Amino acid sequence: MLLVVSEVYRQQLWLYENKKRSIEDRIVSLSQPHIRPIVRGKARTEVEFGAKFSASCFDGYVFLDHISWDNFNESGDLKTQVEAYKNYTGYYPESVHVDKIYRTRENRAWCQERGIRISGPPLGRPPKNVSPDTKKQARDDELIRNSIEGKFGQGKRRFSLGRVMAKLPHTSLTAIAITFLVMNLSTLLLRLFCQFLCQFFKTTSFFAALINKTNVLMNFRKQKIIFTPA
């Protein structure tokens, strides 16, 4: 604790003497000196405190790809995430549905070389006339990308992702990773339960048609991979 207090004093003295408002690796908590302020620019909270991570969603399961206590640019993780998807499935995804920060020129060119469609409008001035097919494609892309946003909301509401009470950095990261593990196990359990119901009601014509429609939707989503930061 004394080492942390002395480092806080050194940082504050440097800020005062140099008339600055920011310093590298600034300590904002005596009990958790590893936490850094992260400027997010949100309307409700411009600065957030805690771990920052980027995650991907495939077939309803969330994968925690990068987590750090320091701020980082999530766009640099896209290539690694797509390659991890290829190693897992054996092929590149048909499309990736990403947040705006991922849509850099480098990532667009990298995806285009591999025949991967990246969601979002193209770079440059928006066209005056947009075809109905383009509008429908943009709407469908946004609906698919909302699945991982819903996963974050589910983690905060049901699995205490927004209330990590651990103090040490390693235990906090472990608690976050376990939260995603439990979320994926919950998804798996729900699907096993649905399979049981499908076997139970497969003799009924109404349930058989509903089951076939659900299988088509799941096969369609398996070709997609969704990224988002948090």
Side-chain angles (χ1 to χ4, degrees), residues 91-145:
Y91 52 86
Y92 286 113
E94 173 190 343
S95 60
V96 292
H97 303 262
V98 297
D99 200 6
K100 184 178 180 181
I101 194 172
Y102 288 90
R103 301 169 192 163
T104 62
R105 293 183 182 274
E106 181 181 357
N107 287 339
R108 289 174 183 270
W110 189 86
C111 291
Q112 186 176 7
E113 291 175 359
R114 289 154 180 80
I116 304 172
R117 185 179 65 84
I118 189 169
S119 65
L123 297 176
R125 182 177 299 177
K128 293 183 179 179
N129 299 321
V130 181
S131 64
D133 293 337
T134 303
K135 292 182 179 179
K136 183 178 183 301
Q137 183 69 69
R139 183 171 61 253
D140 293 341
D141 289 343
E142 193 63 24
L143 291 176
I144 294 173
R145 203 187 72 82

Side-chain angles (χ1 to χ4, degrees), residues 16-223:
Y16 175 77
E17 292 177 347
N18 294 274
K19 294 181 173 58
K20 301 289 184 178
R21 300 187 61 183
S22 62
I23 188 173
E24 187 177 359
D25 295 333
R26 185 173 184 176
I27 297 177
V28 294
S29 173
L30 295 179
S31 61
Q32 295 177 290
H34 54 277
I35 291 180
R36 301 287 177 263
I38 299 176
V39 179
R40 299 298 300 271
K42 296 182 179 179
R44 187 177 60 181
T45 54
E46 295 185 359
V47 181
E48 294 182 348
F49 305 90
K52 182 177 182 180
F53 54 85
S54 60
S56 57
C57 182
F58 165 63
D59 194 20
Y61 298 101
V62 184
F63 298 90
L64 188 59
D65 300 306
H66 186 187
I67 183 168
S68 175
W69 295 107
D70 297 319
N71 196 7
F72 64 90
N73 193 327
E74 303 90 341
S75 62
D77 296 334
L78 183 135
K79 299 177 184 178
T80 305
Q81 291 169 313
V82 174
E83 290 295 341
Y85 174 91
K86 182 175 182 296
N87 294 334
Y88 178 74
T89 61
Y91 52 86
Y92 286 113
E94 173 190 343
S95 60
V96 292
H97 303 262
V98 297
D99 200 6
K100 184 178 180 181
I101 194 172
Y102 288 90
R103 301 169 192 163
T104 62
R105 293 183 182 274
E106 181 181 357
N107 287 339
R108 289 174 183 270
W110 189 86
C111 291
Q112 186 176 7
E113 291 175 359
R114 289 154 180 80
I116 304 172
R117 185 179 65 84
I118 189 169
S119 65
L123 297 176
R125 182 177 299 177
K128 293 183 179 179
N129 299 321
V130 181
S131 64
D133 293 337
T134 303
K135 292 182 179 179
K136 183 178 183 301
Q137 183 69 69
R139 183 171 61 253
D140 293 341
D141 289 343
E142 193 63 24
L143 291 176
I144 294 173
R145 203 187 72 82
N146 285 341
S147 61
I148 194 168
E149 299 291 350
K151 286 292 184 178
F152 286 140
Q154 180 188 19
K156 293 178 180 179
R157 291 192 307 271
R158 292 185 54 193
F159 300 99
S160 302
L161 184 61
R163 295 190 301 249
V164 178
M165 306 302 292
K167 296 295 183 181
L168 298 179
H170 297 296
T171 52
S172 298
L173 297 181
T174 302
I176 294 173
I178 289 178
T179 298
F180 281 95
L181 174 62
V182 174
M183 288 172 58
N184 290 334
L185 291 176
S186 175
T187 301
L188 178 61
L189 180 62
L190 178 62
R191 292 184 177 181
L192 291 176
F193 182 69
C194 290
Q195 289 292 333
F196 170 76
L197 292 181
C198 289
Q199 295 295 327
F200 186 75
F201 293 109
K202 66 180 180 180
T203 56
T204 306
S205 59
F206 170 78
F207 284 103
L210 181 62
I211 291 169
N212 292 331
K213 182 178 179 181
T214 303
N215 289 335
V216 171
L217 179 61
M218 290 303 301
N219 292 331
F220 171 75
R221 289 204 170 189
K222 284 183 179 179
Q223 302 176 358

